[in-house]
Amino acid sequence: MPTPTAVAARLQRLLAANKLVGQDLELPAVLSHIVEAATELVGAAYGAIGTVGPDGRPEQVIEVGVGGPGGAPAAGSFLGVPVRVRDEVLGHLNLSDPRPDAFTAIDQELLEALAATAGVAISHARLFQDSRRREQWSVASAQITRQLLTSDADDALDLVAQRVLELAGADLVAVVLPLLPGDPHGELVVDHAVGGRRDEVTRTVLPAGTSMVGLCMSTGRPQVRDRVTSLSRLPAPSLGPAMAVPLLTAAGVHGSLLLVRDRGSPRFTAFDLEVVASFAGQAALALERADARLAGSRTRALEERDRIARDLHDHVVQRLFAAGLNIQSVCAVLGPGPEVDRLNAQIDEIDATIRQIRTTIFDLNRPAHRSGGVRAEVLAVVNATTVILAGPPEVTFRGPLDLLVPVDMYPDLLAVLREGLTNVGRHAAATRVEVLVSVDAHDLTVEVVDDGVGIAATARLSGLRNLARRASESGGSFEVGARDGRGTRLRWSVPLPTAGLPPQM
């Protein structure tokens, strides 16, 4: 039976231990104080404390002294108690000692009393940690708001990704958007990325479907994984916990914010999800603002096109027409001869120029809500896929495409172009891409030429088979092979329907 003096000494040590535990609010320091106080309180050789999260998963482990893993040596004494607040278990406090029967019932009571104080200290430390993180997120959110008001959307997206990387403890953060604008169910592309491996994922294409990011964008709900199995060219063994949060705008899901930690890192928590979701709102606002700017630019462009069309009609065409009439009057005075023949040739050139200007005026005045024809559709696909290429492709049009190509041929044409450009972006490592869309009285032809690594490395058999099938079903041809020098040439050609040809004059 311990003497009163011994009991008083132990109670004194317990009070000192409680005081030590409450000295700090930083969670790692609190955990260190707890395990140090526990080993000193009962004279143990080894101590360890491990915390668990709300989902019961291990979070942190702090050890002091010399002993076996988790304080459980092969021989000797072991004493362990849970650390809890009310009915919630926050962790476990374990002690061990190589001496047999080193711990008594009083030691257990003292350790349980210390564990009760430790539970309160850990709870307070977590609240303090969450409060500081919320403050940091709030400051960063205000900074991003200022950025949105003073700079363009790309700068704001980069800032959002960088702040999320720092504050969420991620190793990679990416802004993922639909490869084709307005199509969240199709293929996706990494538009922005920050972190140590950003170069390995930027401008790469990700599958949609049942992938984590695809589900996030198709359902509009966050997705959290303990471990992501694949991400573009990153090796699977290096990937750990991941989280995808949708970028929601008034028009729907605009994209996704993807966070990835390295293998072995702690999983993302409910708190991480909460604060990242608020930043996703900031990123969505940046994208929405970019759309508004683009819409404003288009409106201004249409107004400018209308002004140019009026000027061409009111000034240029009228002056050319007047010049042609004056030359005709001169010809009437001169009479037949070689000089008059030359002047008549110039009149024909003026007439041709007037017809070309009037065609341009017609294109400029085309209503904005209607399709712009083949050229506009082709340029839309080119613009959408430029993000996965080294630079904008060089686009060339030949022939009266809008006149000869019927609307029902658009889907095949655009699918071929999209597949060709996507293939180059994924595999060719090209620095230059050329696109040619041409039409004559009989055939529609699409060519995609790059200076990449060559057909052996760039061929996607399934995609090429689809292109060949589209050509075959339309009675056309499909070829893909090496171009002169370095790179690949893809050529797809199909006949025009006879009913779509203009009458012969």
Side-chain angles (χ1 to χ4, degrees), residues 215-259:
L215 286 174
C216 173
M217 293 184 61
S218 62
T219 64
R221 297 176 179 273
Q223 303 289 322
V224 182
R225 299 284 188 274
D226 290 343
R227 180 172 172 242
V228 64
T229 55
S230 64
L231 180 62
S232 185
R233 298 188 294 271
L234 294 183
S238 68
L239 301 175
M243 176 167 61
V245 180
L247 304 180
L248 298 173
T249 67
V253 180
H254 202 123
S256 174
L257 201 59
L258 174 64
L259 291 74

Side-chain angles (χ1 to χ4, degrees), residues 139-413:
V139 171
S141 179
Q143 182 183 11
I144 291 170
T145 299
R146 290 194 299 270
Q147 189 85 3
L148 282 170
L149 296 175
T150 58
S151 62
D152 60 27
D154 282 347
D155 292 340
L157 285 175
D158 283 333
L159 182 60
V160 168
Q162 187 62 46
R163 289 295 178 267
V164 169
L165 180 80
E166 298 165 358
L167 298 177
D171 296 292
L172 175 70
V173 174
V175 178
V176 182
L177 303 178
L179 181 59
L180 297 179
D183 182 18
H185 303 289
E187 289 185 311
L188 311 171
V189 64
V190 177
D191 190 69
H192 292 69
V194 295
R197 298 181 173 181
R198 61 184 180 275
D199 294 337
E200 298 178 69
V201 298
T202 302
R203 295 203 305 270
T204 58
V205 175
L206 304 178
T210 58
S211 68
M212 183 178 70
V213 183
L215 286 174
C216 173
M217 293 184 61
S218 62
T219 64
R221 297 176 179 273
Q223 303 289 322
V224 182
R225 299 284 188 274
D226 290 343
R227 180 172 172 242
V228 64
T229 55
S230 64
L231 180 62
S232 185
R233 298 188 294 271
L234 294 183
S238 68
L239 301 175
M243 176 167 61
V245 180
L247 304 180
L248 298 173
T249 67
V253 180
H254 202 123
S256 174
L257 201 59
L258 174 64
L259 291 74
V260 181
R261 287 174 176 165
D262 288 342
R263 181 81 176 272
S265 301
R267 73 194 304 265
F268 290 102
T269 65
F271 178 82
D272 293 326
L273 179 59
E274 176 187 347
V275 292
V276 171
S278 69
F279 263 61
Q282 298 276 11
L285 178 60
L287 293 171
E288 200 166 33
R289 186 165 175 262
D291 287 345
R293 282 186 172 181
L294 180 59
S297 298
R298 286 174 175 168
T299 299
R300 291 190 295 272
L302 289 173
E303 292 173 350
E304 181 65 11
R305 289 170 64 179
D306 186 60
R307 184 193 63 79
I308 293 172
R310 290 196 307 270
D311 289 346
L312 285 172
H313 181 271
D314 296 342
H315 301 293
V316 179
V317 171
Q318 297 299 335
R319 294 182 67 176
L320 285 172
F321 189 71
L325 290 177
N326 287 333
I327 295 175
Q328 282 183 331
S329 64
V330 172
C331 291
V333 173
L334 293 177
E339 292 81 3
V340 172
D341 292 340
R342 292 177 60 186
L343 290 174
N344 284 329
Q346 293 304 310
I347 293 174
D348 292 339
E349 287 294 326
I350 292 174
D351 287 342
T353 301
I354 291 175
R355 287 194 297 271
Q356 289 178 351
I357 293 175
R358 283 176 172 164
T359 299
T360 301
I361 293 173
F362 175 79
D363 289 338
L364 290 172
N365 283 326
R366 189 184 301 273
H369 63 275
R370 296 178 56 189
S371 170
V374 175
R375 289 176 172 82
E377 298 287 348
V378 166
L379 291 176
V381 172
V382 170
N383 289 336
T385 52
T386 295
V387 67
I388 63 172
L389 302 173
E394 299 178 14
V395 182
T396 302
F397 297 110
R398 292 179 185 167
L401 289 159
D402 294 333
L403 179 63
L404 296 184
V405 180
V407 174
D408 58 6
M409 293 187 72
Y410 287 14
D412 279 348
L413 162 64

Side-chain angles (χ1 to χ4, degrees), residues 46-72:
Y46 173 85
I49 185 169
T51 60
V52 295
D55 56 0
R57 294 173 179 268
E59 284 187 335
Q60 299 185 61
V61 176
I62 302 292
E63 301 172 298
V64 298
V66 180

Side-chain angles (χ1 to χ4, degrees), residues 414-495:
L414 300 179
V416 170
L417 180 60
R418 188 180 299 114
E419 174 66 28
L421 291 175
T422 302
N423 205 37
V424 173
R426 283 176 171 174
H427 309 292
T431 60
R432 180 180 178 184
V433 184
E434 301 173 42
V435 173
L436 170 64
V437 182
S438 62
V439 69
D440 55 26
H442 305 286
D443 299 303
L444 168 66
T445 302
V446 179
E447 292 189 20
V448 178
V449 182
D450 68 77
D451 63 351
V453 294
I455 183 62
T458 62
R460 280 204 323 158
L461 295 180
S462 61
L464 298 183
R465 282 196 295 265
N466 288 337
L467 299 189
R469 176 181 56 79
R470 289 179 182 273
S472 176
E473 290 176 352
S474 300
S477 62
F478 171 70
E479 302 171 1
V480 61
R483 68 187 287 255
D484 294 339
R486 184 176 185 267
T488 303
R489 179 184 300 276
L490 180 152
R491 187 178 188 276
W492 183 88
S493 183
V494 294

